[in-house]
Amino acid sequence: MSNVEAAGSAEEIRARVEKLLVGMTLAEKAGQLTQYFYFGGNESAGEWANEQSREVEVALGRGGAGSLLFVRDPAEVNRLQRLTMEGNRHGIPALFGFDVIHGFRTIFPVPLAMAASWDPPMVEQAQGVAAREARAVGIHWTFAPMVDIARDPRWGRIVEGAGEDPYLGAAMAAAQVRGFQGDHLGAPERVVAGPKHFAGYGAALGGRDYDEVNLSASEFWNVYLPPFRAAVEAGAGNVMTAYMDLDGVPATGNRWLLSEVLRGALGFDGFLVSDANAVRNLATHGFAADLTDAAVRAVKVGLDLEMAISDPAYAHLEEAVAAGSVDVEAVDACVRRVLEVKLRLGLFDQPYVDEERARSVLADPSHREVARVAARRSAVLLRNEGGLLPLSPARLGSVAVLGHLATSKRDILGPWSFEFDLEETVSILEAVQARLGPGTEVTHAPGVRPTERLFSSIFDSFPGNVPVVEEGFDDDAELARAVELAKGSDVAVVVLGEWQNLVGEQASRSSIDLPGRQLELLQAVVATGTPVVLLVMNGRPLDLRWAAEHVPAILDVWYPGTQGGTAVADLLFGDVAPGGKLPFSWPRSVGQVPVVYSHTTSHEPERQAERYWDEPSTPLYPFGFGLSYTSFAYSELVLDRSEVPAGESLVVSVKVTNTGERPGDEVVQLYVHQRHGSASRPVRELKGFRRLHLAAGEPRTVRFTLGPAELRYWSSAARDYVLDASTFDVWVGGDSTASLGTSFSTTGRGGAGSPTPG
Ligand code: BGC
């Protein structure tokens, strides 16, 4: 029996909500709409954390908080839940939320890496494991997936999303919602999914986190909205607002955005939470006059839960209602949605968590296996001159594994990891040593010190989040030592990239260079003449122009998680072949940013690659790119019809053959281009993909359906979704430069085929 059934039918839940509501005072209602951070006070916590924890416990004790975030220990969940239950007359339990972004105890590759797998079923399974672990300790809801499209790698939060493309982004959004939530809200061992940050946050001006966003209507509807639509259609129970101004109005108080688009056009009927302190920020932005006005504006746009660090704006709701600034009905509408989710999750019947069971779920070894597969499937092979990879263990006498990131267990997990277990985390060096055994000499030197940030971040206070620079680290001597090790080895595996605290929230950069002296190290190692494999550990594209010409093998392993080292060894030694593909166009340099494959055609399109006079304007690696240890050929691209009446579909089929000697994975990608219409359309847009595993020599025919969902777009000219009568080019291949193509036409003019925007 599901929790929904346990909690009662929809009508029963509604009736229980109404019954609770009539007995609640305004202060109790405001409490239900308030979510506090709780970091826990203890001797080692700073004065601020202790003071804030006391404030929260006082609030819980008088029914002043309906939800908490950041509590991760099951015993603490139970203790705070008891305080909550006893603190309100109605016995309304607290909802516990947390950022379960890419795993809880078992850490999976960062979301950008998982998007590079182009494997939604795998991503769904990984987030299902994350949900299982989180729910076991008493967490009911995750602030994930982050579905913000990101086209500017200076923005540190690019690591949390699925990259530049709305179609891939929508597929990843839906897969993650299904993984977190299961097939319905309230499913056992699952958590509520909260796609964020609504909407447009990834387009921050200059890539500067939190800065304003100005989007054209076409970009908003065609690029930034589709992943949210997919997440809502997959049943997401929650949505989080964004920090920044969208076209001059703060997203968290933006009536058009939240009422007309989210609740109206997307039909979202779950509960809405603000980003941390974002309701208070309505005053900070110079939008609301003060905290009372901020609370009024937020409630009026249907913002149900205020996420607050301290001193919430919603504490002013009583006075706002008394002054007539907002109706109690508007407050009630928010309270209803919060109570409803608590009932649907079955929390009234089962508010507490089984601490014993939590321990056994977290220790489940099958979770680590899912993480290993996820890390293998996320890696992207960028270069492999002369087939240097895979390395053959039998022929290796000695390997130098270089770079601080080769041994750092905290960094391999990536940002947004808190409950990890370093004991069970496998570094790249450890895994290479374990795989090769005593017959091969494996040496290591860090080569360079971790790069220090010029400015600190909110994450610095979490234990281990800032890498420690060894005392007395002699930069020149360490670099020389690493080069000496490379000189004396059969192969050098150099692990370079960004330390995890250099990417993520509050981790935007003005450059995409390899931080510190890493390029110098790489150049010196390559100069030894020893064959070099570069492993890139990153959450954004970095400047690899030199490496792309001089380093024979480059494998992007991202931040691969708990089992990252093991998975990297599996790939290096050919137990599996890399099959990931880039979820963004990889820029040559920061000056090209933003560079996307789906730009429109303009004057002199034949000179598209020459828009700058000093450097090609094409990316270093195209969107969708990634090599394998084998090769694939595409043939027999066939359409089942060449003319399609608007509103109908056609089937595209193509034969893909593994033409090499080894098994491998290929991501078959389908792109379309509409030649003319009511607006000019991108030169190419992804409209289908499938990841296949093919044995050596194996052929497979793949079919895609193209219908109204793929062919419609939002037209700035029509100010609505349209399906134009036009001619479409279609290409299928292994990346966004695919050359095998054909064309078809659509006839007549169809409707939008989806809720029209407001
Ligand atoms: C971030 C959110 C996150 C929240 C809670 C905010 O600073 O923008 O993405 O969910 O903190 O940790």
Side-chain angles (χ1 to χ4, degrees):
M1 190 170 71
S2 73
N3 276 352
V4 167
E5 286 149 4
S9 67
E11 280 102 88
E12 280 163 346
I13 289 176
R14 265 196 296 275
R16 281 183 81 176
V17 167
E18 294 310 319
K19 203 167 155 211
L20 284 164
L21 209 51
V22 288
M24 289 170 78
T25 64
L26 205 46
E28 287 169 336
K29 290 176 183 174
Q32 282 306 308
L33 304 187
T34 305
Q35 181 187 46
Y36 279 104
F37 277 81
Y38 184 86
F39 295 110
N42 57 53
E43 272 170 32
S44 60
E47 198 182 311
W48 177 86
N50 281 316
E51 178 54 39
Q52 198 263 359
S53 304
R54 270 194 297 276
E55 186 190 326
V56 174
E57 293 195 17
V58 169
L60 290 177
R62 57 168 168 72
S67 179
L68 295 182
L69 74 151
F70 255 86
V71 189
R72 311 187 297 277
D73 174 60
E76 273 293 88
V77 167
N78 283 341
R79 183 180 71 80
L80 294 162
Q81 186 68 289
R82 224 162 270 126
L83 266 179
T84 312
M85 301 286 285
E86 288 159 9
N88 69 90
R89 301 178 294 145
H90 312 281
I92 303 172
L95 189 64
F96 286 84
F98 184 52
D99 293 277
V100 185
I101 306 298
H102 54 112
F104 183 69
R105 149 95 167 261
T106 307
I107 305 296
F108 295 95
V110 289
L112 188 64
M114 290 211 274
S117 72
W118 295 58
D119 186 357
M122 181 281 284
V123 172
E124 180 177 338
Q125 190 190 13
Q127 298 298 34
V129 169
R132 179 164 194 256
E133 293 187 353
R135 188 68 198 249
V137 304
I139 290 164
H140 309 125
W141 155 37
T142 178
F143 312 126
M146 192 201 89
V147 303
D148 294 312
I149 293 293
R151 300 182 150 194
D152 186 337
R154 291 174 299 182
W155 190 54
R157 302 197 79 170
I158 186 174
V159 62
E160 294 175 51
E164 79 178 46
D165 187 70
Y167 188 88
L168 179 63
M172 289 298 153
Q176 293 187 81
V177 169
R178 287 192 302 267
F180 287 128
Q181 265 188 204
D183 60 3
H184 66 275
L185 201 143
E189 301 206 85
R190 305 284 176 147
V191 294
V192 179
K196 65 188 186 185
H197 308 79
F198 200 73
Y201 181 33
L205 211 58
R208 293 179 295 271
D209 208 2
Y210 314 139
D211 273 7
E212 69 199 82
V213 166
N214 300 297
L215 285 181
S216 72
S218 169
E219 283 175 296
F220 179 82
W221 291 101
N222 291 319
V223 179
Y224 287 81
L225 201 62
F228 282 101
R229 185 189 287 281
V232 169
E233 284 174 358
N238 169 253
V239 166
M240 184 188 287
T241 67
Y243 277 130
M244 77 300 150
D245 287 325
L246 176 66
D247 300 340
V249 181
T252 298
N254 192 315
R255 169 179 302 284
W256 171 79
L257 185 65
L258 302 180
S259 304
E260 293 182 36
V261 180
L262 180 63
R263 300 263 186 218
L266 300 196
F268 174 67
D269 63 0
F271 71 107
L272 187 59
V273 68
S274 74
D275 202 340
N277 270 3
V279 178
R280 291 177 56 85
N281 282 353
L282 296 180
T284 312
H285 282 245
F287 177 68
D290 51 30
L291 288 190
T292 311
D293 189 29
V296 167
R297 288 176 185 240
V299 164
K300 282 187 171 169
V301 296
L303 201 151
D304 306 313
L305 202 53
E306 175 185 11
M307 184 188 285
I309 298 174
S310 62
D311 196 10
Y314 278 6
H316 299 262
L317 277 177
E318 254 187 296
E319 110 203 15
V321 172
S325 314
V326 63
D327 297 337
V328 74
E329 285 73 30
V331 177
D332 285 354
C334 297
V335 179
R336 270 191 195 97
R337 286 187 286 257
V338 171
L339 293 178
E340 184 181 327
V341 71
K342 292 181 177 183
L343 281 161
R344 288 183 69 184
L345 288 171
L347 298 188
F348 282 75
D349 308 314
Q350 260 184 352
Y352 302 108
V353 65
D354 179 342
E355 295 167 35
E356 201 49 52
R357 186 174 170 278
R359 269 185 284 279
S360 80
V361 169
L362 294 187
D364 188 336
S366 72
H367 296 183
R368 261 59 85 193
E369 197 44 38
V370 178
R372 179 177 180 169
V373 171
R376 284 170 161 187
R377 294 177 79 79
S378 299
V380 181
L381 183 63
L382 296 174
R383 195 164 196 246
N384 197 18
E385 288 301 294
L388 176 58
L389 287 177
L391 300 172
S392 164
R395 280 195 246 129
L396 282 181
S398 55
V399 182
V401 179
L402 306 174
H404 177 259
L405 293 170
T407 53
S408 169
K409 295 198 176 187
R410 176 62 195 89
D411 288 292
I412 203 170
L413 301 174
W416 288 109
S417 312
F418 301 93
E419 274 304 299
F420 51 80
D421 180 343
L422 290 184
E423 292 284 304
E424 66 191 19
T425 302
V426 186
S427 73
I428 292 177
L429 178 65
E430 280 173 348
V432 169
Q433 280 165 334
R435 182 68 169 71
L436 291 175
T440 308
E441 191 195 1
V442 180
T443 56
H444 166 73
V448 297
R449 65 167 73 213
T451 299
E452 288 173 80
R453 296 171 55 117
L454 181 57
F455 303 112
S456 63
S457 117
I458 38 167
F459 297 96
D460 289 358
S461 56
F462 290 96
N465 244 24
V466 180
V468 181
V469 180
E470 251 173 68
E471 216 173 302
F473 189 93
D474 182 333
D475 295 81
D476 293 336
E478 282 296 339
L479 203 132
R481 188 163 74 89
V483 174
E484 276 312 302
L485 292 180
K487 226 181 245 168
S489 301
D490 293 339
V491 66
V493 174
V494 188
V495 190
L496 303 180
E498 283 186 325
W499 285 265
Q500 64 82 27
N501 66 324
L502 304 184
V503 68
E505 187 175 357
Q506 296 192 353
S508 291
R509 284 184 76 190
S510 66
S511 129
I512 58 168
D513 294 350
L514 283 166
R517 293 176 67 180
Q518 295 184 98
L519 180 57
E520 192 184 334
L521 170 68
L522 183 65
Q523 289 174 332
V525 170
V526 169
T528 63
T530 298
V532 174
V533 176
L534 170 61
L535 300 179
V536 188
M537 193 178 281
N538 59 329
R540 67 171 120 225
L542 295 167
D543 184 343
L544 291 187
R545 283 175 295 179
W546 189 86
E549 276 186 36
H550 300 97
V551 182
I554 308 176
L555 181 65
D556 194 342
V557 303
W558 316 99
Y559 300 104
T562 305
Q563 285 295 308
T566 317
V568 167
D570 295 341
L571 292 158
L572 280 179
F573 300 108
D575 300 337
V576 286
K581 302 275 187 171
L582 293 176
F584 49 72
S585 308
W586 192 297
R588 295 170 192 274
S589 66
V590 80
Q592 287 188 318
V593 165
V595 58
V596 292
Y597 80 94
S598 54
H599 58 81
T600 54
T601 310
S602 183
H603 180 61
E604 296 185 347
E606 66 285 0
R607 300 201 60 192
Q608 186 63 42
E610 301 165 14
R611 298 295 196 215
Y612 303 120
W613 62 255
D614 59 340
E615 181 170 61
S617 40
T618 50
L620 185 62
Y621 300 112
F623 175 80
F625 175 76
L627 302 169
S628 173
Y629 295 156
T630 183
S631 51
F632 299 94
Y634 287 79
S635 59
E636 299 172 33
L637 177 60
V638 179
L639 309 179
D640 71 339
R641 61 211 289 197
S642 56
E643 277 209 355
V644 190
E648 293 186 21
S649 303
L650 80 158
V651 175
V652 182
S653 63
V654 69
K655 188 167 147 194
V656 188
T657 309
N658 180 344
T659 49
E661 320 257 281
R662 311 174 64 102
D665 284 16
E666 172 68 326
V667 180
V668 184
Q669 302 162 43
L670 178 145
Y671 294 88
V672 302
H673 167 235
Q674 180 180 322
R675 288 196 195 162
H676 52 83
S678 75
S680 38
R681 303 300 301 141
V683 288
R684 286 189 180 201
E685 289 181 283
L686 180 72
K687 291 296 177 186
F689 66 87
R690 192 115 3 106
R691 183 166 174 153
L692 304 178
H693 181 76
L694 295 178
E698 185 186 349
R700 181 96 49 93
T701 297
V702 182
R703 286 184 182 77
F704 296 97
T705 300
L706 285 178
E710 288 76 28
L711 301 178
R712 71 175 191 150
Y713 66 97
W714 197 87
S715 162
S716 309
R719 303 211 62 81
D720 202 349
Y721 287 102
V722 297
L723 272 168
D724 287 328
S726 188
T727 302
F728 289 78
D729 299 305
V730 45
W731 297 269
V732 180
D735 65 48
S736 58
T737 65
S739 55
L740 182 65
T742 181
S743 62
F744 65 90
S745 303
T746 52
T747 55
R749 205 167 282 267
S754 161
T756 39

